[in-house]
Amino acid sequence: MPLHVVILAAGQGKRMHSALPKVLHRIAGRPLLAYVMDAAMALKPERIFVVHGHGGAEVKNAFAGAPVEWVDQARQLGTGHALMQALPRIPRTATALVLNGDVPLIRAETLRKLVRSAGKGIAIATSDLSDPSGYGRVVRDAKGHVQHIVEQKDAKRAELAIREWYAGFLAGNASRLAGWLAKVANRNAQKEYYLTDVIGIAAAAGAQVSAVKATDSREVAGVNSREELAILERAYQNGQAKKLLAAGVALADLWRVDVRGELECGRDVSIDVNCVFEGKVRLGDRVRIGPNCVLKNVTIASGSEVLAFSLLEDAEVGAGCRIGPYARLRPGAALGEGVHIGNFVEVKASRIGAGSKANHLAYIGDAEVGARVNIGAGTITCNFDGASKNRTVIEDDCFIGSDATLVAPVRIAKGSYIGAGSTISRDTPPGQLTVARARQVSLPRWTPPRKKPAGEK
Ligand code: UD1
Ligand code: CA
C-alpha cells in the first residue's frame, strides 16, 4: 500500500514565548522539523506533506528545496483541522502517517512499526516511560482495548491518573481517516478540532485501534516550552556523548559536551569539559581538546593539542600542532605539521608551514608563512589598506622580532631577521637583518618637567 506522510507544523507554539515558529527552534543546531522530516524520509513514502500556517513563509524558507509539499492551514483550529487540510491530496487507498512536527527525536523504526500495525484500522504511538503531564491520555477498556484519547485540559481526575499517553504519531487508511475526521467537533476546553478525537470515533465504529509503545523516552518527548526544549537538547547531547564514549573517545564529562553536527574521532582522542563541535569536525588519533573550546568545520591531524578557550572555525590543523590556550583560527587557516599557535594569536586565511611558531599576541591574516618561522609577540600583518586585502609572504626560516608590523603586500625573503618593533613596508632581502625603527637616543642635558607645589598659581 502506498504510504503518504503528513507532518503537522502550523502551530505557533505559544508556550515558547518566541517570535520564531516553534518547529524552527533547534536541537543540536537543527530545526525540530528537520528531524521529523528525516524520520519521514527514511520510510521512503510516496509524498510528504507539511501543514504550515503560523510563520508559514519563514518555515518554508528554512526548508527551501526539501522534497516535501506544503499545505497551508491559514487558521490554526487544531491538529484534526490541520490534517483535514492535507487529506484531500492523498489517494483514498493510501496509508496516511501523521506526525507532530514538534516531537523531533522519533525514530524511523517506531514509525515503520506504526505503519505495519495500522492494518485496516488505526495505529497510535504511545508511551508510559515518562511523566504524562500535558499530554493526551490513552483510555483503555477493561480488556485493555484502546477506547479514546482525552486531552489533559479535558480530562477528569481519574483520567489524569492514567500513565499512558499519546505520543503524537498515528497511521491509518486515508479514506477511513477522512470519514472519522469529518465527525470531529470542537466542543472541548480549547475549542479546537482535536486529531486525537479520531481514536474514539474509530473505536466506537468498531475499527481496530492498536497502540505501539515507544521504547525510548526521548523519541516521544514533545517540545512545547523552552524548558522542554532545553531538557531534550541535553538528553540528545548525552546520547551523542555515550556514542562517542562507546567508540573510544575519552570525554571528561558526558553531560558537558555539545555536538551540533558530525564529530569523527580517531583512536585515543580526549575531550575536556564544555567543548562545542559544529558542522563537520574530524579529529585524528591522540588529538586532545582542552576545556571550553569551540570547533566548527575543522580537521585536526593526529597528535595535535588544542588548549583551553580556543576557537577554531573552517580551519585545517596538521599533525603534532599545539593551539592555544586562547587561540583563534578563522576561516582559511591551514597549519602544517608541528605548528604552535599560542595565546591571543589570531590566524585568518593563511597557510603556516611546518614547525613555525607564533606563541603570543599576534595577527596573521592573508599570509603565506613558510617552515620554521618564528613570529614574535605582538607581530601584525597589516593586510587591510582600508579598501582591499593584501598578502604577506614570509619565507622559510625567518625570524620576526616582537611587535613587528608587516605592511602588506610585502615579502620577507628566506632567512630574514626582522628587528623588534620594525614597520616593514618593503620586501626584505634573504638572510639579512632588517630593522625599520627610529634610532634610540638619550639626552644627557635633559631635565624633567617641574611639578608646581600645591597652592602655587
Ligand atoms: C498533541 C496531542 C496530544 C499529544 C501531544 C504529543 C492533540 C489534540 N493533542 O498535543 O494528545 O499527547 O500532541 O506531543 O493532537 N498544529 C497544527 N495546526 C493546529 C494545531 C497544531 O499544525 O491547528 C501542529 C503544531 O504545530 C504541532 C502539532 O500540531 O507541531 C501538535 O500541536 P500542539 O498544539 O503542540 O499539541 P499538544 O498540545 O502538544
Ligand atoms: Ca506539542
Side-chain angles (χ1 to χ4, degrees), residues 357-391:
K357 295 178 180 141
N359 275 326
H360 340 261
L361 301 152
Y363 173 63
I364 305 168
D366 300 303
E368 184 75 45
V369 178
R372 298 171 303 280
V373 169
N374 198 307
I375 295 179
T379 294
I380 305 285
T381 55
C382 306
N383 58 332
F384 188 50
D385 58 16
S388 50
K389 301 280 167 69
N390 299 289
R391 291 197 73 76

Side-chain angles (χ1 to χ4, degrees), residues 8 10-11 22 73 76-79 100-102 135-136 151 166 224:
L8 309 182
K22 182 166 64 178
Q73 185 194 19
Q76 290 82 54
L77 304 180
T79 47
N100 276 9
D102 63 348
Y135 295 111
E151 290 304 308
Y166 173 57
N224 300 299

Side-chain angles (χ1 to χ4, degrees), residues 158-367:
E159 290 165 334
L160 285 176
I162 297 172
R163 297 262 328 153
E164 190 184 9
W165 48 275
Y166 173 57
F169 309 101
L170 64 78
N173 164 263
S175 103
R176 296 191 82 187
L177 265 178
W180 297 324
L181 208 48
K183 297 193 177 125
V184 171
N186 67 349
R187 284 186 302 273
N188 51 53
Q190 304 185 78
K191 305 235 172 343
E192 283 184 5
Y193 296 89
Y194 293 157
L195 174 60
T196 41
D197 280 358
V198 153
I199 305 307
I201 294 166
Q208 190 194 320
V209 180
S210 35
V212 171
K213 280 198 187 174
T215 51
D216 174 345
S217 61
R218 278 176 310 185
E219 69 171 334
V220 289
V223 173
N224 300 299
S225 64
R226 298 268 189 187
E227 184 180 353
E228 284 173 345
L229 182 67
I231 289 171
L232 196 56
E233 171 79 36
R234 206 77 327 259
Y236 180 78
Q237 293 299 350
N238 186 240
Q240 298 203 101
K242 284 179 178 165
K243 278 187 201 155
L244 289 170
L245 289 163
V249 177
L251 292 182
D253 185 333
L254 76 178
W255 288 101
R256 282 185 291 168
V257 62
D258 286 80
V259 181
R260 301 173 191 156
E262 280 169 49
L263 173 59
E264 201 184 300
C265 295
R267 279 177 87 86
D268 294 308
V269 166
S270 73
I271 298 172
D272 213 324
V273 298
N274 296 333
C275 291
V276 178
F277 301 91
E278 287 184 33
K280 274 206 172 94
V281 175
R282 267 187 287 160
L283 307 180
D285 296 346
R286 299 178 309 287
V287 165
R288 282 170 294 165
I289 309 293
N292 303 299
C293 291
V294 178
L295 278 67
K296 182 174 180 183
N297 298 317
V298 173
T299 301
I300 302 183
S302 57
S304 286
E305 182 172 19
V306 179
L307 299 162
F309 297 101
S310 294
L311 170 55
L312 285 61
E313 185 178 353
D314 295 308
E316 228 174 283
V317 175
C321 289
R322 202 178 70 212
I323 317 292
Y326 298 101
R328 179 164 184 212
L329 300 188
R330 289 174 52 200
L335 314 185
E337 237 175 77
V339 167
H340 291 184
I341 298 296
N343 35 219
F344 309 108
V345 173
E346 174 180 343
V347 181
K348 185 214 80 171
S350 298
R351 306 197 140 267
I352 299 189
S356 289
K357 295 178 180 141
N359 275 326
H360 340 261
L361 301 152
Y363 173 63
I364 305 168
D366 300 303

